[in-house]
Amino acid sequence: MTGRWHSRRLTGPSPLRGSNGVALGPDGRLHVAQFLAGRISAVDLATGDVEVVVPPGGPIQSPDDLAFAPDGSMVVTDLVPGKVWRRAPDGQYELLSAEVVLPNGIAFAGNRLYVHEMRPNGRLLELTADGPVELTGDLAMGNAMQLGPDGLLYYPHMITGRVYRVGVDGGEPELVADNVFEPVAVRFDLGGALLVLSRAATGVVTRIDLFGTGDRSTITSGVVGLDNAAFDAENRMFVSSYASGGVLELHPDGRTREVVRRGLDGPFGVTVDLGGVVRAADHYGTATLGPDGVDRELRTFTHGIAAHEGLLHLTSQYGQVRTHDPRTGETRDRARGVDRPLGVAVRADGSLVVAESGAGRVLLISPEDEVTVLADGLTRPVDVALDDEGRCHVSDPGQGAVLRLDGATPTPLLAGLVEPQGIAVLGGELFVVEVGTRSLRSIPLDGGDPRVELADLPVGGPDRPTPALFAAGLPGVAPSFAGLAAHDGALYLSADAEGSVLLLTEEPGR
């Protein structure tokens, strides 16, 4: 790195960028699908070492669940493009199906392969050589499923709080359990007990003695956003978290042991709240960075973030602008149906300035939630920043420029940039993260010469074809966004290539 700035990490790089489906492979390692990162890693449960075995950029775009066939092949559900892949032990890929909508849960019964769809009115299917065969329908958002010790397929309905089972040849589904708290995955331990994981913030797991007394008990793990689980040969339970990544061993009494440390899924936008508290928008919620690590609050689909007078203003690339009060827990919708909103800034009067990336506009949302267009005709605005005079600036990767909004015609401050994203004003300079060159540039607002301040920054999302933002009317994969914030003479950068937040401080005398 070069220039007058010093960089240090506030959080370490994330070993797993969200952890979704998990399965023990023939080599004894726990294989972990990472939906947002587009990759699959293998974890040595004894050492915690992580190896990427399916990197991004290959045919699999958004792996959500996986299972191993009797011959050792890995079969993966690729959720957003709606594909199911087989990866042979020699690394060769075979497309098994492109006819499943939002495929997620996956299970084998011998050599027979079953998948289901994570959508309302989804289907549970057997994938045969002649195509998918429907066993049952009307799934209310199915997720991780498993073949039970009785030879039946067990699966959750996330929306209705129920668990069902059905025969491997189909038939009428049977209700197994009702009133289960937000079930996201069903798993059997080696003793035949049914464990149902909750996707909520408290990490509830419900244990049902299904083939014995029928008794039900719950434990609270505290793992935010549980996703899936696997049991090893010693009946140890290892769980994943879509919200915080990592892998943990979960004991029957609720205690946890971190095998792979948790981290950030993105991050996307970053801001500094009252008292210098650093918060990041991290797709599945807001992450608060402290001396003891990262605390999370689930707030699904959070990408842009700005703190102002104790409030957090949030955008989602799926169309929402919201204001959240961390003190009361209340969240207020400011606008809906916005075309991929990203960066957000706050005027002195409390109005929000929002980059509407999908529509090529910058919006102004008044304190009374009246939405007007501040500027249009842009290509793909990503971030916005206000200077001390209240003038608005915007980064537009489509134009390769940072622009000032002076009246009806935006004025370029600096052009010829490669994928400019996060911007922030500090003192008399505007700083921009140029993702295409992995550098931080400064632009004097008085018209002086711009310069490169830092190089070789860990920014830029996975090198892969971008999965769709929406799939079958539901959220798909949101593109990454390297956010930037200024506070008290320092800069804060979302290092989205590694899953960390960097603190950038100016070296004395430079």
Side-chain angles (χ1 to χ4, degrees), residues 315-337:
T315 68
S316 162
Q317 294 187 61
Y318 300 110
Q320 295 81 39
V321 180
R322 298 164 287 178
T323 293
H324 175 65
D325 189 338
R327 297 161 296 192
T328 66
E330 296 179 353
T331 299
R332 166 185 162 200
D333 281 341
R334 307 297 301 275
R336 285 184 169 270

Side-chain angles (χ1 to χ4, degrees), residues 17 36-39 56-57 61 460-466 477-480 496-497:
R17 306 291 289 279
L36 288 178
R39 69 190 184 196
Q61 295 184 26
D463 184 13
R464 57 170 169 165
T466 303
V477 178
S480 62
D496 59 337

Side-chain angles (χ1 to χ4, degrees), residues 59-435:
I60 300 175
Q61 295 184 26
S62 53
D64 201 284
D65 206 352
L66 70 161
F68 285 90
D71 67 356
S73 298
M74 180 195 300
V75 180
V76 182
T77 51
D78 195 356
L79 192 144
V80 174
K83 297 179 178 180
V84 181
W85 296 92
R86 173 183 177 269
R87 182 179 182 269
D90 64 2
Q92 296 299 308
Y93 292 93
E94 176 189 1
L95 179 62
L96 297 182
S97 177
E99 302 177 59
V100 185
V101 180
L102 299 178
N104 191 330
I106 185 169
F108 276 96
N111 284 309
R112 299 174 70 177
L113 174 62
Y114 299 87
V115 299
H116 62 45
E117 299 173 325
M118 194 180 72
R119 59 170 175 149
N121 302 314
R123 302 170 296 167
L124 196 159
L125 307 158
E126 181 181 3
L127 296 190
T128 72
D130 297 323
V133 176
E134 182 174 332
L135 274 67
T136 185
D138 297 324
L139 272 67
M141 301 289 286
N143 199 60
M145 65 175 173
Q146 187 175 14
L147 185 72
D150 55 358
L152 302 178
L153 291 165
Y154 287 73
Y155 55 95
H157 281 200
M158 286 196 287
I159 294 177
T160 64
R162 294 176 172 177
V163 175
Y164 286 87
R165 62 186 174 193
V166 70
V168 294
D169 296 315
E172 185 67 25
E174 178 186 355
L175 179 64
V176 174
D178 200 356
N179 298 317
V180 184
F181 187 54
E182 298 189 16
V184 70
V186 292
R187 285 290 180 260
F188 286 92
D189 69 11
L190 300 191
L194 176 64
L195 284 299
V196 186
L197 282 67
S198 162
R199 61 189 173 93
T202 52
V204 171
V205 176
T206 302
R207 183 184 188 276
I208 304 174
D209 188 6
L210 195 61
F211 304 107
T213 63
D215 290 346
R216 181 190 295 200
S217 60
T218 61
I219 60 171
T220 301
S221 69
V223 180
V224 178
L226 288 170
D227 190 286
N228 217 308
F231 288 86
D232 70 1
E234 299 175 13
N235 207 31
R236 295 183 300 171
M237 184 180 185
F238 296 93
V239 299
S240 62
S241 166
Y242 67 85
S244 58
V247 171
L248 296 98
E249 181 183 354
L250 177 58
H251 295 275
D253 60 2
R255 292 179 299 113
T256 59
R257 177 181 67 87
E258 202 168 59
V259 178
V260 178
R261 65 175 179 79
R262 287 164 282 184
L264 297 172
D265 292 321
F268 293 76
V270 63
T271 192
V272 183
D273 204 348
L274 296 174
V277 176
V278 181
R279 302 185 191 271
D282 203 37
H283 188 73
Y284 292 114
T286 55
T288 301
L289 281 56
D292 298 325
V294 177
D295 290 327
R296 278 177 178 75
E297 184 175 1
L298 287 180
R299 198 156 306 285
T300 306
F301 309 137
T302 302
H303 302 123
I305 186 169
H308 182 70
E309 296 182 348
L311 299 176
L312 295 178
H313 305 284
L314 313 170
T315 68
S316 162
Q317 294 187 61
Y318 300 110
Q320 295 81 39
V321 180
R322 298 164 287 178
T323 293
H324 175 65
D325 189 338
R327 297 161 296 192
T328 66
E330 296 179 353
T331 299
R332 166 185 162 200
D333 281 341
R334 307 297 301 275
R336 285 184 169 270
V338 184
D339 191 350
R340 204 183 145 204
L342 267 174
V344 57
V346 189
R347 283 184 167 180
D349 65 356
S351 298
L352 305 183
V353 180
V354 178
E356 190 182 18
S357 187
R361 307 190 299 184
V362 175
L363 303 180
L364 184 67
I365 303 176
S366 74
E368 296 75 34
D369 299 340
E370 180 184 356
V371 180
T372 56
V373 177
L374 192 62
D376 61 10
L378 301 170
T379 305
R380 184 167 49 93
V382 164
D383 202 9
V384 288
L386 304 173
D387 63 19
D388 292 340
E389 299 178 25
R391 297 175 298 183
C392 181
H393 303 80
V394 57
S395 60
D396 190 341
Q399 296 187 44
V402 176
L403 307 105
R404 177 181 293 157
L405 303 184
D406 285 327
T409 304
T411 302
L413 289 186
L414 184 63
L417 299 172
V418 185
E419 196 66 23
Q421 293 189 2
I423 58 174
V425 173
L426 183 61
E429 295 176 295
L430 183 142
F431 293 83
V432 54
V433 183
E434 188 180 14
V435 170

